[in-house]
Amino acid sequence: MSVVELDRIASEYNNKIEGFQKIIHICTGTGCVSSGALKVFNRLRDAIDSEGLTEKVLVKKTGCHGLCERGPIVVFGNDEILYQTVGKRNVEDDVKLLIATIKDDQIAEKLLYRGDDKTKRYVSTHDIPFYSGQTRLVLALNGIIDPEIIEDYIVHGGYRALVKALSMHRDEIIEWIDKSGLRGKGGGGFPTGVKWRSCKTAEGSPRYVLANGDEGDPGAFMDRSLMEGNPHAILEGMIIGAYAIGSNQGYIYVRDEYPLAVERLSKAIGQAREYGFLGNDIFHSGFDFDIEIFRGGGAFVCGESTALMTSIEGQAGEPRAKYIHTVEKGLREKPTNLNNVETWASVPEIINKGWEWFSSIGTELSKGTKVFSLVGKVNNTGLVEVPMGMTLKEIIFGLGGGIQGGKKFKAVQTGGPSGGCIPEEYLEMPVDFDSLTKLGSMMGSGGMIVMDERSCMVDVARYFLKFLVEESCGKCTPCREGVRRMYEIVDRICSGNGGEGDIEHLEELARAIGLGSLCGLGQSAPNPVLSTLKFFKEEYRIHIEEKKCPAGVCKSLITLHINPEKCTGCMRCASECPVGCITGEKKQVHTIDQTTCIKCGNCYDVCHFDAVTIE
Amino acid sequence: MVEFKINGKQVKAEKGETVLAVAIREGFAIPTLCHHDVLGADGRCRLCVVEVRRGNRKRIVTSCLYPVENSIDVFTESDDVKLVRMTVLELLLARCPFSEVIQYLAKQYGVNTVRYTKDNDKGKCILCNTCVKTCETLVGVAALGMTGKGPLKKVSTPFDEPSDVCIGCGACVVACPTGHIYMEDRDGFRTIWRKKFELARCPACGRYHAPVEQLEFISKKSGVAIDELRICQNCK
Ligand SMILES: Cc1cc2nc3c(=O)[nH]c(=O)nc-3n(C[C@H](O)[C@H](O)[C@H](O)COP(=O)(O)O)c2cc1C
Ligand code: SF4
Ligand code: SF4
Ligand code: SF4
Ligand code: SF4
Ligand code: FES
Ligand code: FES
């Protein structure tokens, strides 16, 4: 295989699709599939056939566009038109609208993306702030290529980096990765080139390269989108890495809950083998390499490097001590290089465009881009890829379009369950590995949960602790026993039974668990508490001393009242109250029976007149 | 040869030894619960932590796993070490309030109160894994395993059913550092891990001495006839 041959494959495929006058991309990522994308795809195909347009219009299935919540997403041509929630209300109607766009270039207003104020409508993807503020390197081809067709990847420049890498010296490749400044996207931000070099020089054989696609953080889906949307970029990165490191066997660890990712990766591996990108004597270079998929059971801790390896070995996914690094003794006690799937997918472009190009993006110490899953109380939720160093404000208020319902921003939680909460005063902070760590949070795999004034930070800490209690593997004492005791204390505080000394006790336990735990899960498990204590200690104090929840979340600490001055007697709250404890005649002031109120907050949320107050 | 310091004392060790082994040899006391001389260590209890300093970097490590390194400074009783150790003991005491071993260690390390609601469903098991490894490595039948995760983790036979492969040897009972595992010999039967074993009676003295299944197992492994094994150690 050479560049000439890749060009031939590309031009053959181009010839095949050249005749089409229009290309329509339908997102078939997990999000859009679950909101009905396949139905839209099938109906649209039928409609195109019956309109006699089969030869003229190509309908492509693509991976995730990052706007999953507004799926199914349909994009015309080169991002000229983006339609959202297609087929959500009525598939037939929406397919008719699509046909009208195809035939007469008629734009379907009601399928257009709307701005935060719900009035402005955007036609082209390029105009939508959510997209225009992004720098898509890793996700560049997501939403453009059909992940099940290798030729489509090749048309878009795929596997050329591999050809180039195979003509380079192994050490040169590692040097490029090193100089590019690429750091691991799986959490720790460890320099990738340094890791590769240590693995290459470690004694022992065989050597393994692994891709981490476990993605256990609740709400995170960037790795899934990548695996589903552009599996070949991950494979190409792994093949290049394996060549540089001197490995002949790779594994991709994917959680079992990601069947589509498994399917797309398996197909991609099959196609790569057919073209000889995987297998023996790749491109006559004498280099053999193959990849297997390993489906993990879906425990959060299995994303931790040693637990992941133990799990591939067929044992229960428990972490091991890492006093001897896994690059020296990893999978089956052999030198092993583990990288996150997003890290692997960054590699081909560094080889294609050079390390200088990559290192020109980002900040001094954090290069390139990072994909975040922006969720929570922000207007535009979804996947965003931004250059390292973009500020939190730019991400949340620029791309994210600010806080839902015009509420006030309170904090953003980054880094997954064991990350931390960052308050308003740090909104101008550039997001990179080191500044997040400095604030007691971390990059993690890129979760970003935005919280508004209605979030109680003690309750948030409680939520993450609960997750960690359940996800602790239970191997070591501080994490297994300690985190649940932290949860008990925080839970006590939330239910109004906090007492003097609780905060000091939490701090003491946090320190002991952080120092004494075996793996990263336990070592960082205190973070949700430590970071909320750092920035929101007053809120803890009010819970403990005044027995009040300022955000109005902790049920035991709040009461709901109807302000007679404001109540118009519209009866809305009464009809939404699940226990029927609101009484009052029409147009008369309503009242809440405090003895039966379950403090669900429904009345507060539905009242149009701000008449319901939480104390 | 590796040279380093423990609590200021210059010590020598072989490459590959653990800090724990060297510390004990040099007369420093480090408490352990899950480390076993024969079965090795897997770093579960975290009682054996020590502080390792190198230059101005310091970290807490488990001495039962940490390989010796040149010119490190090991401290076995630093403030952080004490904090982790006392925390571990308080947590274990809350989990296993009736474990004499934990009570003893807690007292020794100055843990006088338990600030948590005590568990009453975990018995004396501290999940050290010694029984599992004993059964697997020393006995060679692997009847036990850990199931569940987090605070629900426990040691048991598969599905909590009487195990097909357990031979009732009681090795796990002997190995358990806390005395958690229940075993009873009565009326010619041994009960352990919910399985009832018929005990073999010595044809010479008439004493019940070992489960028949265990003798069969030994017979198969060693080639010694079962009838010969039925004779107890005293009468041989
Ligand atoms: C509890 C825990 C969970 C983790 N989960 C993941 C995960 O889901 N995906 C991932 O890539 N890395 C995860 N990591 C980080 C990995 O251990 C490892 O550092 C990473 O995969 C290395 O790849 P990188 O250098 O490319 O980031 C986790 C770490 C811990 C401690
Ligand atoms: S820190 Fe938690 S997850 Fe990690 S080994 Fe210990 S118990 Fe398991
Ligand atoms: S908080 Fe819920 S239960 Fe209480 S009055 Fe309002 S709607 Fe009813
Ligand atoms: S008694 Fe059963 S479980 Fe215990 S060591 Fe012997 S064979 Fe294993
Ligand atoms: S039963 Fe005993 S040996 Fe087995 S894990 Fe529990 S404490 Fe350890
Ligand atoms: S799955 Fe379609 S936009 Fe994410
Ligand atoms: S003895 Fe070292 S961790 Fe238990």
Side-chain angles (χ1 to χ4, degrees):
Chain A
M1 187 73 57
S2 65
V3 175
V4 180
E5 275 174 82
L6 286 174
D7 284 343
R8 188 185 47 75
I9 299 170
S11 71
E12 265 173 32
Y13 183 71
N14 268 333
N15 288 343
K16 245 175 45 189
I17 59 170
E18 211 174 38
F20 294 107
Q21 289 159 4
K22 279 208 160 80
I23 299 182
I24 296 168
H25 304 90
I26 296 194
C27 176
T28 54
T30 293
C32 288
V33 166
S34 66
S35 51
L38 292 178
K39 208 164 162 190
V40 175
F41 178 83
N42 292 329
R43 292 292 157 84
L44 180 61
R45 283 287 289 268
D46 292 346
I48 286 173
D49 288 346
S50 56
E51 294 280 340
L53 295 168
T54 318
E55 308 288 311
K56 294 198 179 128
V57 182
L58 174 67
V59 188
K60 269 169 83 168
K61 286 185 187 169
T62 72
C64 174
H65 293 245
L67 267 181
C68 316
E69 244 182 63
R70 309 217 184 177
I73 300 287
V74 175
V75 173
F76 278 69
N78 188 17
D79 286 341
E80 278 113 29
I81 308 170
L82 179 136
Y83 285 156
Q84 54 153 28
T85 58
V86 180
K88 253 300 186 45
R89 287 153 299 258
N90 186 317
V91 181
E92 305 305 332
D93 288 357
D94 287 359
V95 166
K96 274 187 204 132
L97 294 173
L98 293 178
I99 293 287
T101 311
I102 293 170
K103 281 174 49 180
D104 313 317
D105 290 321
Q106 223 179 75
I107 292 190
E109 285 284 325
K110 78 174 247 234
L111 294 180
L112 289 178
Y113 181 89
R114 272 173 308 238
D116 325 325
D117 55 2
K118 306 282 180 243
T119 51
K120 188 164 162 48
R121 288 168 193 264
Y122 298 89
V123 179
S124 161
T125 315
H126 303 295
D127 302 329
I128 302 173
F130 179 78
Y131 278 108
S132 56
Q134 296 190 37
T135 303
R136 293 193 152 209
L137 306 184
V138 174
L139 295 180
L141 297 180
N142 256 52
I144 293 175
I145 60 167
D146 183 331
E148 301 195 3
I149 300 177
I150 189 171
E151 292 80 8
D152 208 4
Y153 180 64
I154 295 173
V155 166
H156 289 89
Y159 287 109
R160 279 173 180 72
L162 176 58
V163 174
K164 183 170 175 184
L166 289 174
S167 71
M168 289 167 72
H169 191 279
R170 295 169 177 222
D171 289 329
E172 196 188 358
I173 300 175
I174 295 181
E175 203 174 306
W176 276 36
I177 298 300
D178 200 6
K179 283 188 179 158
S180 76
L182 177 64
R183 291 172 68 174
K185 312 279 181 88
F190 192 82
T192 307
V194 173
K195 198 189 267 185
W196 287 19
R197 187 171 295 120
S198 331
C199 188
K200 178 180 183 256
T201 51
E203 261 171 65
S205 74
R207 264 167 241 279
Y208 297 106
V209 295
L210 312 182
N212 193 340
D214 188 56
E215 192 165 56
D217 302 16
F221 57 105
M222 42 265 154
D223 290 351
R224 185 187 72 195
S225 293
L226 181 63
M227 291 186 278
E228 288 174 1
N230 192 2
H232 284 290
I234 301 168
L235 302 188
E236 191 178 0
M238 286 179 80
I239 306 170
I240 295 169
Y243 170 72
I245 291 163
S247 160
N248 306 115
Q249 180 64 52
Y251 293 93
I252 306 179
Y253 191 95
V254 190
R255 61 175 32 227
D256 222 23
E257 287 97 324
Y258 286 179
L260 193 57
V262 171
E263 190 188 315
R264 299 248 165 98
L265 282 164
S266 312
K267 273 204 183 136
I269 290 173
Q271 293 167 347
R273 281 186 192 140
E274 271 170 37
Y275 274 115
F277 302 154
L278 282 173
N280 287 337
D281 196 14
I282 296 171
F283 300 173
H284 309 296
S285 61
F287 163 57
D288 306 337
F289 181 64
D290 210 347
I291 297 175
E292 264 180 57
I293 294 174
F294 190 92
R295 301 181 69 162
F300 176 64
V301 74
C302 285
E304 194 277 339
S305 53
T306 59
L308 183 145
M309 293 173 200
T310 316
S311 166
I312 294 181
E313 286 165 7
Q315 290 158 267
E318 276 184 353
R320 305 191 279 247
K322 286 201 275 197
Y323 300 138
I324 298 168
H325 298 294
T326 51
V327 284
E328 286 165 37
K329 276 195 172 147
L331 181 63
R332 306 179 187 122
E333 304 265 294
K334 300 296 179 191
T336 304
N337 184 91
L338 171 72
N339 279 121
N340 171 261
V341 288
E342 193 185 328
T343 315
W344 286 120
S346 309
V347 170
E349 283 295 84
I350 296 176
I351 300 297
N352 276 329
K353 298 194 176 144
W355 61 267
E356 296 92 341
W357 162 79
F358 189 83
S359 74
S360 71
I361 306 162
T363 64
E364 171 88 39
L365 295 172
S366 301
K367 298 297 185 190
T369 57
K370 178 77 193 89
V371 184
F372 291 98
S373 83
L374 185 62
V375 295
K377 295 286 159 52
V378 62
N379 276 313
N380 311 324
T381 61
L383 284 191
V384 294
E385 182 173 356
V386 298
M388 298 271 191
M390 192 179 248
T391 65
L392 282 169
K393 194 171 183 178
E394 285 169 304
I395 299 176
I396 297 165
F397 289 87
L399 308 181
I403 309 302
Q404 285 171 13
K407 290 216 170 66
K408 214 169 119 39
F409 170 88
K410 183 162 184 182
V412 56
Q413 205 273 354
T414 73
S418 33
C421 295
I422 301 170
E424 198 183 357
E425 62 241 56
Y426 294 96
L427 272 177
E428 299 287 353
M429 195 199 64
V431 179
D432 61 42
F433 289 110
D434 313 295
S435 36
L436 287 176
T437 312
K438 239 181 263 158
L439 288 182
S441 182
M442 55 184 184
M443 183 74 87
S445 51
M448 210 176 252
I449 306 172
V450 178
M451 291 174 268
D452 67 11
E453 54 195 305
R454 280 274 277 143
S455 308
C456 164
M457 301 318 282
V458 188
D459 184 62
V460 165
R462 192 180 77 109
Y463 168 83
F464 286 110
L465 281 175
K466 183 156 197 279
F467 176 87
L468 292 162
V469 170
E470 284 161 10
E471 291 301 327
S472 155
C473 83
K475 178 171 178 174
C476 71
T477 315
C479 171
R480 179 189 67 235
E481 307 294 336
V483 181
R484 74 170 161 125
R485 298 307 185 175
M486 283 185 85
Y487 172 80
E488 282 174 10
I489 299 170
V490 174
D491 188 49
R492 195 162 73 210
I493 296 175
C494 288
S495 52
N497 299 315
E500 208 191 309
D502 276 354
I503 291 181
E504 293 72 20
H505 188 180
L506 278 174
E507 283 168 338
E508 174 197 318
L509 252 183
R511 182 164 173 82
I513 295 167
L515 286 171
S517 291
L518 173 70
C519 86
L521 191 152
Q523 285 157 11
S524 57
N527 282 354
V529 170
L530 289 177
S531 76
T532 46
L533 270 177
K534 180 170 174 177
F535 298 119
F536 302 94
K537 204 174 222 164
E538 179 64 7
E539 212 165 318
Y540 278 84
R541 193 197 58 76
I542 295 173
H543 277 73
I544 296 170
E545 289 174 17
E546 299 172 23
K547 309 286 177 214
K548 286 211 166 95
C549 174
V553 173
C554 296
K555 292 205 166 121
S556 317
L557 301 180
I558 57 171
T559 45
L560 289 101
H561 295 281
I562 295 176
N563 181 347
E565 315 268 287
K566 287 188 174 175
C567 178
T568 61
C570 72
M571 303 188 77
R572 209 177 139 88
C573 58
S575 67
E576 293 289 335
C577 175
V579 291
C581 68
I582 304 181
T583 48
E585 297 297 315
K586 196 168 179 170
K587 300 219 171 112
Q588 299 291 312
V589 170
H590 282 49
T591 46
I592 297 174
D593 175 8
Q594 298 299 340
T595 54
T596 45
C597 169
I598 56 167
K599 299 170 188 177
C600 68
N602 279 0
C603 50
Y604 176 87
D605 291 332
V606 300
C607 180
H608 285 316
F609 307 97
D610 284 340
V612 182
T613 55
I614 301 181
E615 264 170 36
Chain B
M1 188 64 72
V2 177
E3 291 187 40
F4 64 103
K5 278 188 193 152
I6 302 179
N7 296 341
K9 178 181 177 192
Q10 192 73 28
V11 298
K12 287 191 172 110
E14 295 296 327
K15 198 167 177 274
E17 279 191 281
T18 62
V19 166
L20 177 67
V22 181
I24 289 178
R25 186 167 67 230
E26 296 289 339
F28 298 102
I30 295 178
T32 62
L33 274 169
C34 68
H35 170 267
H36 189 279
D37 286 342
V38 180
L39 298 164
D42 37 24
R44 285 171 194 264
C45 72
R46 321 302 287 178
L47 199 60
C48 70
V49 288
V50 296
E51 187 168 308
V52 169
R53 288 188 210 158
R54 176 196 289 273
N56 45 20
R57 266 198 59 184
K58 58 178 198 174
R59 87 197 253 225
I60 294 290
V61 303
T62 37
S63 63
C64 65
L65 286 166
Y66 199 81
V68 293
E69 282 178 292
N70 271 314
S71 47
I72 51 172
D73 263 319
V74 175
F75 296 89
T76 62
E77 299 285 336
S78 75
D79 287 348
D80 281 343
V81 167
K82 281 191 214 149
L83 170 69
V84 174
R85 225 172 254 169
M86 288 173 77
T87 304
V88 163
L89 286 169
E90 186 181 349
L91 290 167
L92 286 179
L93 199 53
R95 174 187 168 92
C96 307
F98 300 110
S99 161
E100 297 81 355
V101 178
I102 303 297
Q103 286 166 0
Y104 171 80
L105 283 169
K107 202 164 184 186
Q108 199 183 349
Y109 285 90
V111 176
N112 301 316
T113 47
V114 173
R115 291 168 288 179
Y116 313 106
T117 322
K118 289 175 181 161
D119 290 339
N120 52 19
D121 58 345
K122 311 260 182 333
K124 294 178 183 174
C125 180
I126 54 160
L127 295 173
C128 68
N129 207 35
T130 309
C131 54
V132 177
K133 287 200 285 188
T134 300
C135 185
E136 187 177 320
T137 332
L138 299 183
V139 183
V141 301
L144 301 174
M146 296 268 188
T147 58
K149 58 183 179 180
L152 302 177
K153 200 178 191 89
K154 63 173 192 173
V155 61
S156 74
T157 52
F159 308 107
D160 274 334
E161 298 282 333
S163 153
D164 291 341
V165 295
C166 173
I167 55 170
C169 66
C172 51
V173 178
V174 179
C176 174
T178 64
H180 170 73
I181 305 167
Y182 170 82
M183 178 168 91
E184 186 191 54
D185 287 359
R186 183 196 286 190
D187 305 333
F189 287 94
R190 166 173 295 180
T191 312
I192 181 168
W193 294 110
R194 297 174 192 227
K195 187 171 172 183
K196 207 165 171 188
F197 292 89
E198 184 195 338
L199 289 171
R201 196 173 199 151
C202 172
C205 66
R207 194 172 65 91
Y208 292 114
H209 64 106
V212 177
E213 272 188 56
Q214 182 187 353
L215 298 182
E216 285 167 354
F217 179 83
I218 297 172
S219 167
K220 212 152 76 194
K221 281 258 156 136
S222 62
V224 179
I226 182 88
D227 286 341
E228 209 172 305
L229 292 171
R230 280 180 175 272
I231 304 166
C232 80
Q233 292 299 322
N234 297 351
C235 301
K236 273 216 172 106

